Amino acid sequence: MGDSWQPPQWLNDNYLEEVLKKYLQDDSVVIQSIDLKPATASGENYASVMTRIKIEYNTAKEDQLQTLSFITKASLENDPAVSSITLDYDIYNTEMKMYEHILPQMAELLKEVGVQEQLFANTLKVDHEQSTIIFEDLTAKGYVLADRMKGLDLAHAELIVKKMAKFHAAAAVLNERLNHSLEKFDRGLFNRHTNKLGLMWENFTYANANCFVKDCPSLGAPYYDKLMKLKPYVVQYATQAYVDNAKEDFLTLCHGDLWINNIMMKYNDNKELEDLLLVDFQFSNWASPAIDLYLLFTTSLEPQLTVDMQAQDKMLQLYHMVLTFMLAKLKYSGHIPSLKELRAQFEKRKFLACIGILTDHAIANSDKSDEADLLCLVGNSDKAQRFRENCCKNKRHQKVVQELLPYFDSCGLLDLKN
């Protein structure tokens, strides 16, 4: 990405004119100009080529030149180093299925019970031949990314939690209507099929231990030793949190990569949060909703909320209130979990919070993202090691680790399982 960004060669006037004709239902469309720019900077998207397209066009119905803006998201399958990792996660097929079939059905299901609010970007075209999705450019509607360096305050976090409760409820009910077919989405960040991304969590456990914990006066050798012993098991323990589900657990289709850069915000003239929409469904998978909320809490909140377990517990209560209300309204036939049951689900999977702070929080708070790519997370090159070291030397990250590592230790999360 960044300076190396190149739009796909097939993304030309002829291709886009056909897309526009179908979208507008008008065969008289004639494109006059196309402006292509990268839609994301380095460090904001690790597995796709994102292109913002501004199109000027004429139609027989309009005298004035018309303008529309779209986003295309194309795979990096032509990059052998990246595709060797991502193909086993089936991320492109997963996201195409989500945008083409699942998300539209979830939206219709919510409309059936009077929920008109939008939860995600609308899709223009899913092109399986080019492994590409074209969807509305949310920036044209005033949506922006929040500042990941600052993190989200309570108002942002609560709105996300409420939207995720509606998302999870709709997915659970849709799964019943589709004869449990959503349970086939089983290739999340941790899964039974592949662990090629697992090196990322191992690498960052090592980097935290050696670049900060070892020499931190309040942590030092005891925590360093625990992290180094834990390192070979982090993928195993996290995978168990994803896939070892009890019969009584409430499961649903999760977003799978719920962090600040996958949520678009809209503000009013007073800079108050008005709305937000979800994007990027490459890692959507059938699991406990804990995986979404733990990822949100560990990557995307402002520092004081990241370490405030009481505030997060209240957000879980809010999530439960909206979730149970929506499940009942949508006439979910399965067991609707009590707050106590939901809390037990989250407690069982708390290791995801621990590894999320060590890894995902470090990445999300990196101020060296101009060098970032997927291989920086999993590789062993000098560039990759330098990137991880810089992440773990970040003062914002270190402050959170210093406060939360003793908490995770008190929960037994740094100890090896028998």
Side-chain angles (χ1 to χ4, degrees):
M1 302 289 287
D3 293 339
S4 63
W5 170 85
Q6 291 290 334
Q9 291 183 354
W10 50 263
L11 195 60
N12 52 38
D13 291 31
N14 292 335
Y15 180 89
L16 291 170
E17 197 166 273
E18 291 305 311
V19 171
L20 210 54
K21 286 178 179 179
K22 187 172 182 180
Y23 174 65
L24 297 173
Q25 297 182 329
D26 186 345
D27 288 336
S28 71
V29 168
V30 177
I31 290 180
Q32 300 299 326
S33 69
I34 296 175
D35 182 33
L36 304 179
K37 294 180 179 178
T40 56
S42 295
E44 292 182 359
N45 191 285
Y46 288 94
S48 304
V49 178
M50 303 280 286
T51 304
R52 175 167 285 110
I53 309 172
K54 184 179 180 181
I55 302 176
E56 292 185 329
Y57 65 96
N58 293 115
T59 72
K61 300 175 183 177
E62 301 285 348
D63 294 331
Q64 301 283 335
L65 195 65
Q66 305 296 304
T67 302
L68 279 174
S69 184
F70 307 124
I71 297 290
T72 66
K73 186 173 186 177
S75 74
L76 280 174
E77 288 179 343
N78 292 328
D79 185 327
V82 174
S83 64
S84 69
I85 299 168
T86 59
L87 286 177
D88 284 352
Y89 289 84
D90 204 25
I91 60 174
Y92 307 120
N93 284 325
T94 294
E95 189 164 39
M96 287 190 290
K97 289 174 186 174
M98 288 294 293
Y99 273 110
E100 186 173 22
H101 300 296
I102 307 307
L103 297 177
Q105 290 183 80
M106 287 172 59
E108 288 303 314
L109 195 155
L110 288 168
K111 287 178 183 177
E112 289 177 13
V113 294
V115 178
Q116 299 293 329
E117 70 176 294
Q118 191 175 349
L119 299 183
F120 29 77
N122 292 319
T123 315
L124 274 74
K125 179 182 176 65
V126 174
D127 187 335
H128 291 271
E129 183 178 348
Q130 302 294 350
S131 294
T132 295
I133 304 165
I134 303 178
F135 45 86
E136 61 180 332
D137 181 3
L138 295 175
T139 63
K141 292 185 174 182
Y143 287 85
V144 296
L145 285 175
D147 185 351
R148 64 181 174 86
M149 299 297 188
K150 182 179 178 183
L152 302 175
D153 64 15
L154 189 60
H156 286 75
E158 287 183 340
L159 184 55
I160 296 168
V161 162
K162 288 190 281 189
K163 288 230 177 188
M164 288 313 302
K166 295 171 185 176
F167 182 96
H168 290 154
V173 174
L174 182 61
N175 184 56
E176 291 183 329
R177 294 193 183 184
L178 297 181
N179 197 28
H180 300 276
S181 64
L182 300 192
E183 294 167 30
K184 296 176 182 178
F185 285 84
D186 62 352
R187 296 194 181 235
L189 288 168
F190 297 96
N191 64 73
R192 289 191 173 98
H193 303 283
T194 182
N195 63 357
K196 285 185 177 179
L197 285 175
L199 282 173
M200 176 169 73
W201 288 274
E202 292 183 11
N203 287 339
F204 272 91
T205 302
Y206 179 89
N208 275 281
N210 285 276
C211 298
F212 173 57
V213 171
K214 179 171 63 174
D215 297 320
C216 176
S218 66
L219 299 173
Y223 288 94
Y224 171 82
D225 291 341
K226 285 197 171 191
L227 288 182
M228 293 304 291
K229 290 176 181 176
L230 185 64
K231 173 182 170 286
Y233 299 95
V234 292
V235 176
Q236 176 188 333
Y237 294 171
T239 302
Q240 289 170 351
Y242 266 58
V243 305
D244 288 357
N245 300 311
K247 186 177 181 181
E248 64 271 15
D249 286 343
F250 171 75
L251 305 177
T252 187
L253 189 64
C254 295
H255 178 282
D257 195 12
L258 188 66
W259 74 297
I260 193 169
N261 274 11
N262 287 335
I263 306 166
M264 299 291 288
M265 314 291 180
K266 187 174 185 179
Y267 301 93
N268 61 24
D269 292 339
N270 295 322
K271 298 185 178 180
E272 298 167 330
L273 182 63
E274 187 176 276
D275 191 27
L276 59 86
L277 295 175
L278 306 172
V279 297
D280 199 333
F281 295 89
Q282 293 181 326
F283 287 99
S284 294
N285 68 299
W286 187 259
S288 166
I291 75 167
D292 275 344
L293 295 195
Y294 274 138
L295 194 55
L296 174 69
F297 292 165
T298 57
T299 60
S300 305
L301 305 183
E302 58 188 10
Q304 58 266 39
L305 275 180
T306 303
V307 300
D308 190 339
M309 296 299 114
Q310 187 175 13
Q312 293 177 27
D313 185 66
K314 288 181 179 178
M315 282 189 272
L316 180 56
Q317 287 181 267
L318 174 63
Y319 170 85
H320 177 262
M321 181 181 71
V322 179
L323 175 73
T324 54
F325 174 81
M326 289 304 305
L327 288 172
K329 194 169 186 176
L330 290 164
K331 295 182 170 54
Y332 178 60
S333 66
H335 174 65
I336 297 178
S338 67
L339 180 57
K340 181 179 179 180
E341 289 169 331
L342 193 65
R343 276 207 179 106
Q345 245 183 270
F346 274 65
E347 190 66 27
K348 178 182 173 184
R349 294 165 176 83
K350 189 175 276 188
F351 185 76
L352 295 177
C354 176
I355 198 63
I357 289 296
L358 291 172
T359 300
D360 305 299
H361 183 270
I363 297 167
N365 282 273
S366 169
D367 51 12
K368 301 289 185 180
S369 61
D370 56 323
E371 294 186 346
D373 57 36
L374 186 61
L375 298 180
C376 282
L377 308 181
V378 300
N380 284 316
S381 67
D382 289 343
K383 175 185 175 182
Q385 293 184 46
R386 184 171 62 250
F387 172 74
R388 294 193 295 267
E389 289 173 4
N390 286 331
C391 287
C392 295
K393 289 178 180 177
N394 180 290
K395 296 301 181 184
R396 292 185 303 277
H397 174 63
Q398 289 182 348
K399 187 175 180 180
V400 169
V401 170
Q402 188 173 0
E403 185 154 351
L404 285 184
L405 210 56
Y407 167 73
F408 293 138
D409 190 35
S410 72
C411 296
L413 298 174
L414 304 186
D415 297 329
L416 302 186
K417 297 180 181 180
N418 294 328

